């Protein structure tokens, strides 16, 4: 099943989207918002599956042609956002380039921070209000959205509470990251609001791309019209979604609608193969610094466009694209 | 105006509470939940003020005797929780006792982290599900709850967006704090869900206790029936609520219902006056360690009770109390 939210008020209006992303139908009579659905998933999701089946069969009354421009973030504000640095080569390269080391226990437990959950932008919203001198960067990620998660779940149990997946662009202000992390209280002003892809998909909708631990596929990342990333998302993270959820849930249950990312997708093999590239500018610049002594790829400027899209191994787009430009502060 | 939420579903049901906390009335026809009120404060708050006036005059139809046991957290789940370490002596003592130093820029900008916002417990909910060996502690705080806050507000402008204040108990697992902060991504498993006081009050309800920057009063803290804190809340923080809001809002607007605390209340004079004490066990133990070489006050065990209450300078309780016991994991 594929779902999305029409722009409407602060929380959007829930729609079911066809598999080919061509048509959709409002289902606000079943659940007014994505949050309302997630709050009562067990009862409501089967009713939406019935609508989805009819929509895909071309037999759903009220269906309309989907205009992606009508879409808000699937969950415009959420009660919890957790983001990891689980693709370890991403953080290794970033820190190596600035002379920092990895936390000594990075392989013992996933490195995750509590992020800003209250203002996810739409897939095509501009990145706005940020200063160029703060070094505006994007991060290409795949996020899981959970239902209720009980405290103390094991990694193997944890993935059964994942309801949905979507693309995530975690905007980062690189100039502020290092001094803010030195204060040890984590990211704050260096991580402004993030953006979600237009469409959320249930795990079963991913077929073989979802192995119960990781989401596979090729993440294509374009900046200023040039491809800078072609990353295999299903490998190179020592921690999977269940590990990440279980780590945080050691001391808390989750409310439904927790958005959890494994961090910027990244491949170890990119050290030796430039065609793989990176999922953000900072890591790309780190690779340039490590290999050539000089970072060349510029951070984002007004007018720059970033596009992030996940493809399956047959070249089909899996869950729509994020495509944003930058507006001046 | 004083408000609260009856236990009902995930988000509670909004009530107006009389000034003397003796009576209340449901106002779910005006705003079903505290979040709904905060989302449309400008239009809805004046209607609730009218109800409040009638309730305090004993002329409000539907009024009932308030049973504090019926109350949920005023905002049981919020879209953002920000917590500071603005009473600097709190963090100075904690770090001094464990041999750490203060961040070098601690007086230049408030030290604030993005906290867990999705599961605030009620004033009398037990602290449950935590392991004694993780060193269970509480923190006595006063939180502001904001409306929409625009990005880039100044400290002086920022306080006009504060809609409500309430007590906050920020449960902390001291064994996990230091190793987690060493990873630089901030608190995560070391800060499980927090708890809110039973009643929220508008700034005008505080009278002279609110000077537009800080909330004054005496925070009484009792642990296991013994008073361990008697702290003047209006002093000893170099940063006020407007500073804290403006610091975070440099790179983001806030959604309504952002809960922001200045951290555990703490007084500089406690170094020389044991009757002032501390707002948490960790800081009390730090003072013991610094002054006597030995920490004696035990962390929380099953059956222990903590009580936190703010009094004005005439000895009146300002916004109810938090009183919780600890249950075994």
């Amino acid at each position: 099943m594929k779902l999305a939210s029409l722009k409407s008020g602060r929380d959007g209006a829930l729609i079911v989207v066809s598999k080919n992303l061509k048509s959709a139908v409002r289902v606000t009579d079943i659940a007014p918002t994505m949050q309302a659905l997630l709050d009562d998933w067990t009862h409501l999701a089967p009713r939406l599956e019935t609508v989805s089946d009819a929509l895909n069969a071309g037999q759903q009354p009220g269906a309309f042609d989907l205009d992606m421009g009508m879409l808000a973030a699937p969950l415009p504000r959420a009660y919890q956002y957790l983001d990891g640095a689980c693709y370890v080569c991403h953080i290794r390269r970033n820190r190596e380039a600035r002379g920092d080391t990895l936390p000594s226990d990075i392989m013992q437990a996933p490195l995750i921070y509590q992020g800003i959950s209250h203002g996810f932008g739409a897939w095509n919203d501009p990145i706005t209000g940020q200063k160029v001198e703060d070094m505006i960067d994007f991060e290409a990620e795949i996020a899981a959205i959970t239902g209720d998660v009980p405290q103390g779940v094991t990694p193997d149990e944890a993935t059964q509470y994942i309801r949905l997946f979507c693309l995530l662009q975690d905007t980062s202000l690189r100039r502020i990251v290092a001094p803010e992390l030195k204060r040890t209280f984590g990211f704050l002003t260096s991580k402004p609001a993030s953006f979600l892809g237009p469409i959320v998909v249930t795990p079963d909708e991913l077929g073989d791309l979802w192995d119960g631990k990781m989401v596979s596929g090729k993440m294509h990342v374009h900046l200023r019209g040039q491809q800078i990333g072609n990353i295999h998302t299903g490998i190179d993270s020592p921690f999977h979604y269940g590990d990440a959820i279980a780590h945080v849930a050691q001391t808390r249950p989750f409310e439904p609608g927790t958005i959890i990312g494994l961090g910027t997708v990244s491949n170890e093999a990119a050290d030796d193969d430039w065609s793989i590239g990176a999922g953000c500018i900072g890591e790309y610049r780190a690779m340039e610094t490590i290999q050539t002594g000089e970072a060349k790829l510029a951070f984002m400027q007004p007018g720059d466009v970033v596009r992030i899209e996940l493809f399956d191994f047959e070249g089909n787009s899996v869950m729509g694209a994020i495509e944003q430009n930058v507006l001046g502060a």
Side-chain angles (χ1 to χ4, degrees), chain A residues 5-71:
Chain A
S5 293
L6 295 176
K7 290 180 192 291
S8 173
R10 294 186 186 269
D11 296 301
L14 189 64
I15 59 173
V16 172
V17 175
S18 64
K19 286 182 189 297
N20 63 9
L21 308 188
K22 299 285 189 195
S23 63
V25 63
R26 283 179 78 104
V27 285
T28 48
D29 55 327
I30 297 174
T33 63
M34 191 72 72
Q35 184 65 49
L37 166 61
L38 290 159
D39 282 349
D40 194 17
W41 179 271
T42 308
H43 289 102
L44 300 179
R47 297 176 59 189
L48 296 183
E49 292 280 5
T50 304
V51 173
S52 175
D53 291 345
L55 183 67
N56 285 315
Q59 297 169 343
Q60 175 61 38
F64 56 85
D65 291 344
L66 180 63
D67 169 3
M68 301 291 263
M70 300 166 63
L71 298 182

Side-chain angles (χ1 to χ4, degrees), chain A residues 258-308:
Chain A
T258 290
I259 296 176
I260 184 163
L262 296 184
T264 308
V265 296
S266 181
N267 285 158
E268 292 287 350
D271 288 334
D272 304 310
D273 181 353
W274 273 99
S275 74
I276 295 171
C280 69
I281 299 172
E283 186 181 344
Y284 198 95
R285 288 170 58 88
M287 289 161 60
E288 290 176 323
T289 301
I290 294 164
Q291 296 193 18
T292 73
E294 187 187 3
K296 288 186 178 168
L297 191 72
F299 287 108
M300 297 188 86
Q301 307 275 338
D304 283 355
V305 175
V306 59
R307 184 179 172 91
I308 295 166

Side-chain angles (χ1 to χ4, degrees), chain A residues 1-326:
Chain A
M1 177 164 61
K2 299 186 177 186
L3 302 165
S5 293
L6 295 176
K7 290 180 192 291
S8 173
R10 294 186 186 269
D11 296 301
L14 189 64
I15 59 173
V16 172
V17 175
S18 64
K19 286 182 189 297
N20 63 9
L21 308 188
K22 299 285 189 195
S23 63
V25 63
R26 283 179 78 104
V27 285
T28 48
D29 55 327
I30 297 174
T33 63
M34 191 72 72
Q35 184 65 49
L37 166 61
L38 290 159
D39 282 349
D40 194 17
W41 179 271
T42 308
H43 289 102
L44 300 179
R47 297 176 59 189
L48 296 183
E49 292 280 5
T50 304
V51 173
S52 175
D53 291 345
L55 183 67
N56 285 315
Q59 297 169 343
Q60 175 61 38
F64 56 85
D65 291 344
L66 180 63
D67 169 3
M68 301 291 263
M70 300 166 63
L71 298 182
L75 194 59
R77 48 185 187 174
Y79 294 109
Q80 180 163 243
Y81 170 43
L82 302 162
D83 197 19
C86 295
Y87 294 87
V88 172
C89 44
H90 163 71
I91 193 166
R92 171 175 59 77
R93 290 178 187 128
N94 282 351
R95 296 201 175 189
E96 185 178 338
R98 66 175 189 246
D100 283 350
T101 54
L102 286 173
S104 58
D105 59 355
I106 191 154
M107 300 301 283
Q108 290 165 33
L111 192 57
I112 298 173
Y113 67 93
Q114 189 97 34
I116 163 179
S117 67
H118 63 93
F120 287 98
W123 69 278
N124 62 346
D125 278 347
I127 299 168
T128 183
Q130 306 306 338
K131 296 179 197 149
V132 169
E133 59 263 36
D134 284 343
M135 301 179 180
I136 304 166
D137 199 357
F138 60 85
E139 296 190 336
E141 305 194 23
I142 301 168
I145 304 178
T146 76
D148 280 294
V149 177
Q151 186 174 334
V153 285
T154 66
D156 284 347
E157 293 166 352
T159 53
Q160 75 184 264
Y161 301 102
I162 295 174
R163 302 295 182 228
L164 301 162
F165 286 105
C166 66
L167 296 177
L168 170 71
Q169 192 281 86
D170 185 45
T171 304
S172 302
L173 304 173
R174 297 292 174 201
R175 187 186 66 79
I176 314 177
V177 165
E180 205 155 63
L181 293 192
K182 277 216 171 61
R183 306 185 101 199
T184 74
F185 271 32
F187 303 97
L188 189 67
T189 61
S190 58
K191 292 277 192 181
S194 294
F195 301 82
L196 299 180
I199 308 292
V200 290
V201 301
T202 49
D204 66 293
E205 190 74 29
L206 292 173
D208 291 343
L209 296 179
W210 170 238
D211 65 0
K213 295 183 172 181
M214 295 290 289
V215 176
S216 282
K218 285 299 191 89
M219 187 77 91
H220 289 202
V221 181
H222 287 79
L223 174 65
R224 296 184 279 266
Q226 184 181 355
Q227 186 161 5
I228 67 159
N230 181 20
I231 299 151
H232 192 324
T233 61
I235 60 173
D236 293 338
S237 171
F239 303 106
H240 62 72
Y241 286 94
D243 291 319
I245 293 167
H247 176 68
V248 183
Q250 288 178 94
T251 59
R252 68 178 72 168
F254 296 0
E255 278 290 306
T258 290
I259 296 176
I260 184 163
L262 296 184
T264 308
V265 296
S266 181
N267 285 158
E268 292 287 350
D271 288 334
D272 304 310
D273 181 353
W274 273 99
S275 74
I276 295 171
C280 69
I281 299 172
E283 186 181 344
Y284 198 95
R285 288 170 58 88
M287 289 161 60
E288 290 176 323
T289 301
I290 294 164
Q291 296 193 18
T292 73
E294 187 187 3
K296 288 186 178 168
L297 191 72
F299 287 108
M300 297 188 86
Q301 307 275 338
D304 283 355
V305 175
V306 59
R307 184 179 172 91
I308 295 166
E309 190 163 13
L310 182 71
F311 291 89
D312 67 19
F313 298 108
E314 285 75 51
N316 304 302
S317 179
V318 177
M319 45 181 94
I322 289 175
E323 184 171 310
Q324 308 180 263
N325 64 1
V326 178

